[in-house]
Amino acid sequence: MSEVENLKVKRNLTALIEFSRVINSSLELEFILNNVLLTCLGKFLAIRGLVALKEGNHFQIKLSKGIPDEVLSIFPDVTADKDCEMKEELNSFFESAHLKICERISSSVGCIGFVCLGEKLNGKEYTDDDREFLKTILNIAATAIQNSLVVQELKKVNRELDSRIQRLNSLFELSKEFGLFSESTKVSRLLVYSLMGQFLVSNYAILNFEGSAIQVLESKFQIDELLSKLRKYDYLKIETPLNRTKLEKSYPELFEIGIQLIVPMQIQGKVKGLIILGKRVNNLDYSDYDIEFIYSVGSLAIISLENRRLFKEALEKQKLEEELEFAREIQQNLLPSQIPATNNFDIAAINLPSKQVGGDYFDIIKVDEGKYIIAIADVSGKGIPASLLMANMQAFLQVISKQNIDIATATGLINDLISQNTSDGRFITFFWALLDDNEKRLTYVNAGHNPPILVRNNEIIRFSEGGIILGVMKTLLPYNSNSIQLESGDKIIMFTDGVSEAMNPFSQEFSEERLEKIALSTSQLTSNETLKKIREEIEKFVEGAPQSDDLTMMIIRVR
């Protein structure tokens, strides 16, 4: 080797050592690539060049010198294999960019990119020695580039980890804040503020569903337009987040008004609301990680909203229960507290209200010495309206029974009064009678009530004479009455349909036939004993099944 060649080799070695020292002094990718490209351009007096690295399965130009932007813009999007094979598209680009030589950058994990250089200033071609020297430079640089890429990936992972920790902390804090608010508007406002701060959105809407009804909690979209377009789709079936691409394809009318993301709020798999977001101020798309966070915040919010709703319902239910209990107490006070003592009759009565406020009524009113009005009635329906009508009935009866009017005529008057006071289709089945203690006589009118049972000599007689039920229409046909001369041993059982229609778990009714059999089998028992026996048989029949109707009976045994 000549002295000149020795000197040249010595300079190259010195340059390579210095190059290695410089690029390994930093982990910044930009610094390393700049040194690699500038070193190559300077060494070979090239006027242009670029460095491209693999990102995923594609090449990305990371640095270029002397190549116009319009040329760089046509860099092909080709799949990068393990060996960085220069495909036809790449070679065409190199030709367009006037790049004469390309060499792969290979590290311990394989090819990670390539460097291309343009023509030399002196117009000479690249020699084999030039290519070998370029390979040497890139082999030295490969480790530094690989290390830099690993550090960059670690930094990216750390940033994502920090972001996840920050968002987890946000979710934790939001969960506490959501639990503090007692109004749904404050919950939705907090949800909006957290999303606006996190994603820089100015257009949003928070919707809450109650069945198919939509409650707009917050909206920066035009509400009428938003709802009209939303109703064109089966919005209750939006069970997964809809990003920009899905909206544009499957929900074009929503996309046209600027909606970029819809995230459902669900409880136990059921869609209870939607978070609707517009474009972000920084023009970034919502990433999968962003959508995951919004879904988590939305879940916290909808659970809080649902808890508020359930709490409100519980309060309203408790209040209603208190009112019903109060109504039940009033209703019970309208019933006679004591059964008057008579000479010839053994009388017992019972009213067992169901959980609801019902309309059963019975009464015993002394109208004269030895004469009593006995009555039993059942108002249709349940609740406060039925109890109020029952109270009306009691007031009418208390007044009319003192007027010394025969009960058939009086029944017509009561019917007219009840008809004037009912407007929602309610009615009353009513049986009443004048009981003469001195003559053992009963004169009755049955206005559509379950006919009471008279047990005489082991036979059943029903009291059916009367007329229509009360409250349906004014009295057009007079009510009929019937008078029965009672005998010792006779037993009368008056009852409401809560007795005959008591239901067992198999949806079977107790029935009047069962009641008649018990009436015959207990003909020798006192009124209280008979009452007790019927209750026992009903309780045995229903097997603990809850009853929806009051149970009312009055039993009269003739001494």
Side-chain angles (χ1 to χ4, degrees), residues 119-125:
E119 65 270 25
K120 294 182 177 181
L121 273 175
N122 55 17
K124 294 183 178 179
E125 297 295 326

Side-chain angles (χ1 to χ4, degrees), residues 513-527:
E513 287 73 19
R514 282 191 176 84
L515 183 60
E516 287 182 353
K517 288 180 182 177
I518 298 171
L520 292 171
S521 65
T522 58
S523 60
Q524 301 304 314
L525 299 181
T526 65
S527 294

Side-chain angles (χ1 to χ4, degrees), residues 373 400-401 403-414 432 434 443-445 478-481:
I373 290 292
I400 287 181
S401 62
Q403 305 305 312
N404 198 24
I405 307 172
D406 70 274
I407 65 170
T409 303
T411 306
L413 294 174
I414 293 173
W432 68 322
L434 176 63
T443 303
Y444 74 89
V445 171
Y479 285 87
N480 297 321
S481 63

Side-chain angles (χ1 to χ4, degrees), residues 42-225:
K43 171 63 182 174
F44 302 110
L45 299 176
I47 59 175
R48 61 177 66 88
L50 64 81
V51 181
L53 299 180
K54 288 198 317 188
E55 277 192 4
N57 294 325
H58 297 269
F59 290 112
Q60 290 288 333
I61 295 177
K62 293 296 183 181
L63 183 65
S64 67
K65 301 290 183 184
I67 303 175
D69 291 340
E70 58 270 23
V71 176
L72 293 174
S73 65
I74 62 172
F75 185 76
D77 183 19
V78 296
T79 303
D81 57 20
K82 184 179 179 182
D83 298 326
C84 300
E85 182 185 355
M86 297 300 165
K87 298 181 179 177
E88 184 177 348
E89 296 95 327
L90 280 175
N91 289 324
S92 297
F93 170 78
F94 297 152
E95 188 174 346
S96 301
H98 302 291
L99 297 171
K100 301 298 184 181
I101 182 172
C102 287
E103 197 60 49
R104 297 173 178 82
I105 306 171
S106 298
S107 70
S108 58
V109 298
C111 176
I112 58 175
F114 54 83
V115 170
C116 294
L117 301 176
E119 65 270 25
K120 294 182 177 181
L121 273 175
N122 55 17
K124 294 183 178 179
E125 297 295 326
Y126 287 92
T127 65
D128 291 341
D129 288 343
D130 293 337
R131 187 175 292 277
E132 286 301 319
F133 193 78
L134 178 58
K135 285 182 179 178
T136 303
I137 290 175
L138 297 183
N139 285 337
I140 294 172
T143 302
I145 294 172
Q146 179 64 34
N147 289 339
S148 177
L149 291 174
V150 170
V151 170
Q152 277 197 335
E153 184 64 23
L154 284 175
K155 286 181 178 179
K156 180 182 177 184
V157 170
N158 282 334
R159 282 196 298 272
E160 290 181 353
L161 185 59
D162 288 342
S163 177
R164 283 181 180 270
I165 291 172
Q166 182 185 353
R167 288 187 173 181
L168 278 175
N169 287 332
S170 297
L171 285 174
F172 179 70
E173 293 299 324
L174 285 170
S175 67
K176 291 192 295 184
E177 294 295 328
F178 281 134
L180 294 176
F181 294 138
S182 59
E183 298 174 17
S184 59
T185 52
K186 291 185 177 179
V187 173
S188 60
R189 191 64 54 84
L190 176 61
L191 173 59
V192 165
Y193 287 161
S194 64
L195 296 179
M196 288 176 64
Q198 194 80 29
F199 300 104
L200 301 176
V201 291
S202 55
N203 279 345
Y204 53 80
I206 308 296
L207 307 181
N208 187 34
F209 299 150
E210 289 289 340
S212 59
I214 303 175
Q215 181 185 11
V216 181
L217 300 178
E218 299 285 340
S219 181
K220 284 293 183 181
F221 290 97
Q222 210 286 326
I223 294 177
D224 292 340
E225 183 182 32

Side-chain angles (χ1 to χ4, degrees), residues 339 346-350 362 364 492 494 526-531 553-557:
I339 303 295
D346 166 25
I347 305 175
I350 189 174
F362 77 92
I364 302 175
I492 301 168
M494 303 158 60
T526 65
S527 294
N528 267 322
E529 289 171 339
T530 305
L531 202 61
M553 287 186 288
M554 183 188 296
I555 298 178
I556 303 170
R557 186 169 186 273

